[in-house]
Amino acid sequence: MSEQKKEREESLEQLSREIDGRDCFRPQVSSAVIRRLPRYFRYLRELIRMGKTRVSSAELSRMMNLTASQIRQDLNCFGGFGQQGYGYNVNYLYTKICELLGVGFGFRAAVIGAGNLGTALVSSPMFENRGMDVVAMFDVSPAVIGKTIGNAPVYSMDELEEKLKALAVEIVILTLPKEHAPETARRLAETDIHGIWNFTGKELNVGNSGIVVENVHIGDSLMTLCYEVAQRMSSEKKDAKKDGTK
């Protein structure tokens, strides 16, 4: 086992001991609460940049467009972290949220698909800001195989299983055409990776492999926005008619 992988496993064991007895990963913690954690991460990081050392639930609620009660309930699922009359220590809360999200564990990632989306993701600071290291990309095109995008060398898909193991990759990001996603997922199910971030638009089934899959549907988000815009425009037209305007 590599020294880096050993350190990551020791960090995970330490976190498990720290959260033992809390409600962090118990079934009664809803997925909605879990999905709000990255928002806390982003806003707390912004507060740190502003030089803030403490924040109240009321201040956070105004920033995040949540109620103060909701924020207290969310954080109480993971131990509370606040003090009555003081609020939250920003740096301490940020550190705890980072631990819960695995920031700083040094997860190693690979991107399959070196097209426009894959290239844009690898070239962004998003992974570095969240403690993740993209160590490889994979593609079938001879035009990109052998190149380096960002800091990630591009390998042939023929080397997929070999390189994932050699580089101790834990998370794979899929940005390849969706018709190739099922077969790629089947190959990944036979590897030692732990997670798939799927941008292909195809719902994936990795069976009983134990791999966590996060399906990202950008089009769904766009249609949700379109719905909200259409509803608002319809409401404005109704209000205008009531006022006797056109």
Side-chain angles (χ1 to χ4, degrees):
M1 181 185 295
S2 69
E3 189 64 26
Q4 189 174 29
K5 189 169 184 179
K6 183 179 178 181
E7 289 178 1
R8 287 198 300 276
E9 291 190 353
E10 289 175 350
S11 297
L12 287 168
E13 289 176 3
Q14 177 64 27
L15 177 59
S16 296
R17 288 194 294 270
E18 289 180 2
I19 65 177
D20 185 38
R22 299 184 191 171
D23 291 335
C24 285
F25 299 110
R26 295 179 184 174
Q28 61 264 35
V29 178
S30 72
S31 61
V33 174
I34 301 299
R35 290 185 179 278
R36 280 196 289 272
L37 286 180
R39 293 187 64 202
Y40 289 108
F41 170 83
R42 286 190 286 108
Y43 283 103
L44 287 166
R45 186 172 60 184
E46 184 63 28
L47 288 172
I48 290 172
R49 288 173 178 165
M50 293 165 58
K52 295 273 288 184
T53 57
R54 69 175 181 172
V55 65
S56 67
S57 55
E59 289 175 294
L60 271 177
S61 73
R62 289 191 290 271
M63 293 177 66
M64 299 179 63
N65 198 27
L66 294 171
T67 66
S69 174
Q70 182 68 74
I71 288 172
R72 289 192 294 269
Q73 288 177 32
D74 285 354
L75 297 180
N76 281 338
C77 289
F78 305 99
F81 310 128
Q83 300 175 27
Q84 189 171 4
Y86 178 88
Y88 300 98
N89 180 301
V90 172
N91 284 285
Y92 177 75
L93 181 56
Y94 177 75
T95 298
K96 290 301 179 182
I97 295 295
C98 284
E99 289 176 359
L100 289 165
L101 291 172
V103 177
F105 288 164
F107 287 130
R108 296 166 70 81
V111 176
I112 299 180
N116 292 335
L117 178 56
T119 298
L121 288 174
V122 169
S123 302
S124 79
M126 172 181 59
F127 295 102
E128 182 180 355
N129 290 343
R130 287 157 179 80
M132 190 176 295
D133 187 15
V134 180
V135 297
M137 297 185 77
F138 297 89
D139 207 280
V140 296
S141 172
V144 294
I145 293 171
K147 292 186 175 182
T148 297
I149 299 176
N151 294 317
V154 184
Y155 300 104
S156 167
M157 283 295 290
D158 294 336
E159 302 178 86
L160 180 65
E161 290 84 356
E162 174 191 348
K163 290 297 183 182
L164 291 179
K165 183 175 182 179
L167 296 170
V169 170
E170 292 140 329
I171 295 174
V172 168
I173 298 98
L174 296 183
T175 60
L176 71 170
K178 67 179 180 180
E179 58 267 24
H180 301 299
E183 174 57 29
T184 302
R186 282 192 288 272
R187 291 178 65 179
L188 292 174
E190 300 299 320
T191 70
D192 294 330
I193 71 165
H194 299 292
I196 297 174
W197 198 21
N198 175 29
F199 282 87
T200 67
K202 181 81 171 179
E203 296 287 336
L204 295 179
N205 181 7
V206 289
N208 298 319
S209 64
I211 297 173
V212 179
V213 179
E214 176 71 14
N215 294 300
V216 180
H217 296 279
I218 298 175
D220 289 2
S221 179
L222 175 61
M223 296 311 295
T224 299
L225 172 64
C226 290
Y227 170 82
E228 296 291 347
V229 171
Q231 292 299 308
R232 178 164 297 186
M233 292 174 65
S234 176
S235 177
E236 289 174 352
K237 286 181 180 179
K238 289 179 181 178
D239 290 342
K241 286 182 179 180
K242 287 180 182 178
D243 293 339
T245 59
K246 295 184 179 179

